[in-house]
Amino acid sequence: FDLGGTKMQCTLFDDKLKIVDSQRKRTRSEQGVNENVDRIQSIITKLLDEHQVPLEQLAGIGIGCPGPVEWDKGDWRKGIVRVAFNLGWENVPLGKILSDRFKCDVAVLNDVDSGLYGEFHAGAAQGARSAVGIFPGTGIGGACVYEGQILRGKLLSCMEIGHIKISSSPRIGATGMTGTLETEASRLAIAGELAKLAYRGEAPNLLKQAGTELSEIRSKVIAEAINKGDTQVLKVVQEACEIIGQAVANVVLLICPDCIILGGGLVEAMPELLVKEVQKAAKRNVFECYRDQFEVRAAKLGDDAATVGAAAWIRQQLTSDSSGVSNKS
């Protein structure tokens, strides 16, 4: 299950991790915690019922959620969503709620952790010893898979790269922090700058397609405006790539991953441009000896990355605990 900032996706896998079916719904941030948790349970139940899968046949549930996740007393089966700004959640014991309802083990992951693990399992990061994920969207999520394990703290998920201080800018993000990677280079930050261009008449194709409303300046619209010749739109995207590239360089200098995976809707809309610009900026900002040690790649799995990763992770946990998953979904 993937509970992203703007949508939720529920995917049923067989015991070989082949997709049986998948359903998507938009999240409703205006609803309370109970309503959204009820929707999660409802879509899982609906998918199981449609494919006549009884609860005793369900091996486990993996779910990716935005924001930091805690493993209660180190137990991965009791995941608590500590804070999800886009959903208005704080300290939601989602793992326990779902395990009580569906009578199976549940692994709750940060959504970018699950997305990168999906790419490691079946996508652009296959075969990597160390992979870092940076997913620009409404915010910017980060993750790291190191030697097959999701990098995390003793009790909390980590790699909140979107909230690292990257500049002295006074722009404020959802957390109240200023000058972070997220406030400077997320899709929302880019859209804010593009709305100004459209308002001033400096992006005529963008203005025609989306006007000046932030909610209408989506990734595909940005890509189309660039393709139709809005040079100032391209410049804004390139500036954001420069900032993301600096963050990548910082990560390379810290842990030297062999690949950095860029994901999310913005990357899907213009993969060649973002990969090229981010890699160029990153390589320019590291020591020469590091420049041939890493590669920036676009994610391959799209919307399925987080559900594939969540399913692969829960299967790995069950297997390592010798619980077995044979002949179960």
Side-chain angles (χ1 to χ4, degrees):
F1 199 103
D2 174 24
L3 181 63
T6 59
K7 53 90 180 167
M8 57 175 68
Q9 177 175 328
C10 184
T11 304
L12 180 65
F13 294 84
D14 65 17
D15 61 318
K16 306 297 184 185
L17 285 189
K18 300 296 183 183
I19 295 176
V20 176
D21 193 8
S22 189
Q23 296 186 6
R24 296 177 177 87
K25 290 182 180 291
R26 294 196 66 81
T27 53
R28 296 176 181 171
S29 57
E30 73 278 3
Q31 291 187 331
V33 173
N34 292 336
E35 290 84 355
N36 270 307
V37 171
D38 286 345
R39 292 187 77 218
I40 291 170
Q41 295 180 98
S42 174
I43 190 173
I44 293 173
T45 299
K46 182 174 182 289
L47 196 56
L48 293 174
D49 288 347
E50 287 181 356
H51 292 273
Q52 299 180 339
V53 178
L55 290 187
E56 58 269 21
Q57 189 68 17
L58 186 62
I61 297 172
I63 179 166
C65 299
V69 173
E70 177 183 340
W71 294 268
D72 186 22
K73 297 179 181 178
D75 186 348
W76 62 266
R77 294 178 177 84
K78 297 180 180 178
I80 299 168
V81 181
R82 288 295 299 272
V83 58
F85 294 103
N86 291 340
L87 296 173
W89 286 17
E90 286 189 28
N91 299 317
V92 178
L94 189 59
K96 185 177 188 308
I97 292 170
L98 295 180
S99 62
D100 287 349
R101 167 64 180 81
F102 294 101
K103 311 302 180 187
C104 67
D105 288 318
V106 177
V108 182
L109 301 172
N110 169 270
D111 59 344
V112 184
D113 281 345
S114 59
L116 180 61
Y117 197 74
E119 294 291 338
F120 172 77
H121 175 75
Q126 286 186 90
R129 176 177 180 270
S130 175
V132 167
I134 300 179
F135 286 36
T138 304
I140 296 183
C144 178
V145 173
Y146 186 84
E147 294 188 343
Q149 297 296 315
I150 295 173
L151 185 67
R152 51 185 177 173
K154 182 179 179 180
L155 294 178
L156 283 173
S157 59
C158 58
M159 288 298 293
E160 291 285 346
I161 197 168
H163 304 297
I164 63 172
K165 190 85 169 178
I166 202 78
S167 79
S168 58
S169 166
R171 289 177 181 160
I172 299 176
T175 64
M177 295 188 288
T178 61
T180 65
L181 182 61
E182 186 170 289
T183 64
E184 303 308 302
S186 66
R187 184 188 60 78
L188 186 60
I190 291 171
E193 292 302 306
L194 296 184
K196 296 176 190 176
L197 291 178
Y199 181 80
R200 295 196 297 258
E202 297 177 44
N205 293 298
L206 181 70
L207 180 62
K208 183 177 180 180
Q209 293 176 77
T212 59
E213 290 294 324
L214 285 180
S215 61
E216 297 300 319
I217 303 177
R218 302 183 179 276
S219 299
K220 290 183 179 179
V221 172
I222 296 171
E224 289 174 7
I226 292 173
N227 290 335
K228 290 180 178 179
D230 280 354
T231 57
Q232 291 302 309
V233 173
L234 174 61
K235 183 178 178 181
V236 168
V237 172
Q238 288 173 325
E239 288 171 351
C241 289
E242 174 73 25
I243 295 170
I244 295 172
Q246 291 172 10
V248 169
N250 292 341
V251 171
V252 169
L253 291 169
L254 284 173
I255 62 173
C256 195
D258 40 292
C259 69
I260 290 87
I261 307 300
L262 301 181
L266 194 64
V267 177
E268 290 174 23
M270 353 179 210
E272 293 183 4
L273 173 63
L274 267 72
V275 167
K276 175 186 173 183
E277 294 294 329
V278 169
Q279 179 157 281
K280 182 170 64 174
K283 290 186 182 288
R284 189 173 60 249
N285 284 284
V286 297
F287 300 150
E288 185 177 355
C289 61
Y290 287 109
R291 290 175 186 165
D292 62 352
Q293 298 299 307
F294 71 95
E295 181 183 0
V296 179
R297 305 173 187 165
K300 291 182 178 179
L301 301 183
D303 289 342
D304 292 328
T307 54
V308 169
W313 181 256
I314 181 69
R315 187 176 75 163
Q316 183 198 68
Q317 301 307 300
L318 292 171
T319 301
S320 63
D321 282 356
S322 301
S323 300
V325 293
S326 179
N327 299 319
K328 289 192 175 184
S329 300

